Amino acid sequence: MASTTTPSPDPLLCLRHSIASNHPPILTTSADATTASDAVDNLATATHLQFSEPNHQSFPLDTPTRFVSSEHAVDLRSIYLAWQKKDVAIPDYIASAQQLNEELAAPGGAGGRVQNLVFVERLDLITWLEGASDDSEYIKPLASDGSAAAAAGSAQVASGAAGGIATVPSGAAGARPGKTIDPRLAEIYNGERRMGDRNSVLRGIKPTDFSHIRKTAEVFLNRNRTRPGHQSSTTTTANANTNPALVSLPKKPTRRPDPIILLSPSASSLLRMSNIKSFLESGVYIPPDSALAGSSNTANILHISRLLPSIDPSRPLRFILVDTPEQFKPDYWSRVVAVFTTGQTWQFKSYKWQAAPDLFKNALGIYIGWRGEDVPATVRGWGRGVTSAQIEKWNGNTGTQGRWRDREVVEGIWGQVEEAMRGRGWGKDGGPVVR
């Protein structure tokens, strides 16, 4: 008799749902918090993480999750710490983890240790938790998904329905004509599987759809449609559309990679991590050291979204902004679409392309300077691969009032980025064409 088991709730999915519904979980000191005193703000003293969305659930913070780092499951406390520190720089995140480990081991702490996630793992986790990606190379699939598929496959194999091998009818394979068969022997014959030749064994259990080959052949057949004796492509296409068996199966959409924009880490750069988001998103320049720049000056990664109509008119592209490539994977370089530079060549020493001419053949260079000042000779010498723009100098008395020209400069920069991305093969459903 088959038994039905309810899959246990998954803490990673609960955390993702709570973030999407804007109902953050609560740190508690008990499994079932009923009073306000059970809720705490300190991750070192908390023992459980309580969710209200999608259902009321509570998990111990030392629960291993499906997120795997160095072949070991990462506990829920480490996952929640990475999410809390998603906007801080790497040194600050490491310092927070060390401080939390000390508080956990101190008297009054909950005990245990948290695990540091490297830059790539933390980026992948945050992207998955925010819902920007539905899959992650570091998150194992749910056991219920694999067991359900395995159980269905085993049931089909056991019944003889799978594998393209049919069961033997009673009295057809093992019985001689005109001979009475013992009922028990007939039952055994019914359970036997016929050993066919290679043609019958290789036959599948479902029809194979070759309509995609027909569509590919249409490209070549259209060249001969004007010749006498050849059927027109319009008739062939109409026949394919009226036959349900020839309709191609829907393809699984592939995830479009996020383009990357590199900033200059130079202290003399007018645009840094603290003010680049307000400049590219709002079209307003704020000095990077100003109090108006916000708290993003310590962040080591930022995300902005921008609709580029010539690439995808209906879905905005999500850009990643960083000022150092030290955590890049080799394939990340093909996603770099623009590099902000001050004209200082030491910026490129850690890049894949350390020579400026090679770099700006593969990514758009952008130089931002004050209006009225000359563009450095080194930038002009790099040629058409670098675009230059000038903005009005900051006036502390007027602040952001009257900076209407910034929007015009920003729109021009986005137009150059869009043109460069289109020229490198960025499209609606995929990234650049790797040459």
Side-chain angles (χ1 to χ4, degrees), residues 20 32 107 124 146 184 186 216 239 273 331 337 341 359 365 404-405 415:
D32 189 11
D124 193 89
R184 291 177 297 175
T216 304
N239 293 336
M273 295 295 286
D331 60 317
V337 297
T341 180
L359 172 63
W404 54 271
R405 287 188 175 181

Side-chain angles (χ1 to χ4, degrees), residues 32-150:
D32 189 11
T34 55
T35 62
S37 60
D38 294 332
V40 294
D41 295 329
N42 191 352
L43 191 57
T45 58
T47 59
H48 290 75
L49 193 62
Q50 183 171 302
F51 297 91
S52 59
E53 292 290 340
N55 298 313
H56 182 78
Q57 299 285 346
S58 181
F59 297 93
L61 285 170
D62 57 359
T63 302
T65 66
R66 293 184 290 117
F67 193 93
V68 178
S69 174
S70 301
E71 300 182 356
H72 296 287
V74 180
D75 63 333
L76 183 58
R77 194 189 305 271
S78 302
I79 296 293
Y80 193 63
L81 174 66
W83 169 252
Q84 284 184 324
K85 304 298 180 182
K86 63 185 178 70
D87 292 326
V88 304
I90 294 178
D92 296 335
Y93 165 68
I94 296 176
S96 300
Q98 293 175 349
Q99 181 181 357
L100 179 57
N101 284 330
E102 294 175 358
E103 295 177 358
L104 288 171
R113 291 182 60 84
V114 293
Q115 180 178 349
N116 285 333
L117 301 181
V118 299
F119 173 82
V120 177
E121 295 173 343
R122 190 156 65 108
L123 175 61
D124 193 89
L125 172 65
I126 293 171
T127 303
W128 185 86
L129 289 176
E130 289 179 339
S133 171
D134 291 332
D135 53 359
S136 169
E137 61 179 297
Y138 300 101
I139 298 179
K140 291 184 177 180
L142 288 171
S144 58
D145 297 340
S147 60

